Amino acid sequence: DQTLTSCSDAPLNASFNSSSSVAAATYNITAINLNGLTVSAGGATAANGLAANAIADDAFTNTTNAPVNVIYTVVPVSAAGCQGNPFTVTVTVNPEPVVANQIVSACSDEALTGFVLGNDANGPDVASYNITAINLNGLTASAGNPAIGNGLAANVLEDDAYTNITNAVVNVIYTIVPVGDNGCLGNPFTVTATINPEPVVANHGKTVCSDAPLAVNFNPSTSIAAAAYNVTALTLNGLT
């Protein structure tokens, strides 16, 4: 009998143990007890005349909150056709973290302050995150360091900001793989950052006489319309 340990959805990369008497030429898998798991790769089925590495590509999905054993029952067969007693291969499949897709909204050039990547409420805790792709959809980063990388913390996105001077909302989409505290990788999830556009108003000037009202409006925005204006500074240069 032999035992193996694997992560959810990871191939076993193992061969059957060798015989301690006459060599086994082939193997017959007579039963597989999945214990509620599903096969995600490889054959993982009862069959005869198999090679020693027949289960190397097999993988199983475990999205529970605990390890689950998959048990093969296998009969070794010699070159002369003699069958040995059945042996078992018990594969302990550790669970993968499952993280739901997330959505966050921000204004153009506004950081994703306070945003935290999701965890698995029912499975293994997420120890770190791997960002595998970022779709900017034409925007540029104005703050933070949005980049592909591994071993990242849950608050890795909170400093990221993007400039949107179009006339519509633009989504920046992160693709992220969670890594459980057991070392197992979960399926990718997405974080969609909805970036609302900023108004873009051109500088302008006017000449008037002393004590004459300006009689001027602010220039219109060339992107999204400006609903209001904040005057943040006024330099009088000695005038009253």
Side-chain angles (χ1 to χ4, degrees):
D1 294 339
Q2 66 191 101
T3 58
L4 305 170
T5 300
S6 180
C7 282
S8 174
D9 292 337
L12 301 184
N13 291 322
S15 297
F16 295 128
N17 280 341
S18 58
S19 171
S20 56
S21 59
V22 64
T26 60
Y27 299 82
N28 300 337
I29 297 177
T30 60
I32 305 176
N33 183 353
L34 295 177
N35 278 320
L37 299 190
T38 56
V39 178
S40 58
T45 186
N48 296 334
L50 302 173
N53 65 349
I55 65 172
D57 294 333
D58 290 356
F60 305 91
T61 299
N62 181 4
T63 56
T64 72
N65 60 2
V68 175
N69 288 337
V70 171
I71 303 172
Y72 296 81
T73 302
V74 187
V75 173
V77 183
S78 72
C82 296
Q83 294 187 1
N85 290 329
F87 68 94
T88 59
V89 178
T90 300
V91 181
T92 300
V93 182
N94 288 314
E96 65 180 88
V98 178
V99 178
N101 295 335
Q102 295 176 262
I103 298 175
V104 60
S105 296
C107 285
S108 173
D109 293 334
E110 178 184 276
L112 307 179
T113 304
F115 181 74
V116 177
L117 296 173
N119 204 338
D120 185 343
N122 300 310
D125 284 334
V126 178
S128 64
Y129 300 83
N130 299 339
I131 297 178
T132 59
I134 306 175
N135 184 351
L136 297 177
N137 277 320
L139 300 189
T140 56
S142 57
N145 185 30
I148 293 170
N150 296 335
L152 305 171
N155 64 348
V156 64
L157 305 187
E158 69 173 358
D159 294 332
D160 291 355
Y162 299 91
T163 299
N164 181 5
I165 55 174
T166 73
N167 60 0
V169 171
V170 176
N171 290 332
V172 171
I173 303 173
Y174 300 80
T175 302
I176 303 174
V177 173
V179 183
D181 55 9
N182 57 6
C184 294
L185 303 179
N187 289 331
F189 68 97
T190 60
V191 173
T192 300
T194 299
I195 310 300
N196 291 303
E198 64 179 89
V200 178
V201 178
N203 295 332
H204 58 298
K206 187 174 183 180
T207 301
V208 297
C209 288
S210 174
D211 292 334
L214 300 184
V216 66
N217 292 328
F218 295 124
N219 279 340
S221 171
T222 57
S223 58
I224 188 172
Y229 300 82
N230 300 336
V231 177
T232 59
L234 181 61
T235 301
L236 296 177
N237 279 321
L239 302 188
T240 56

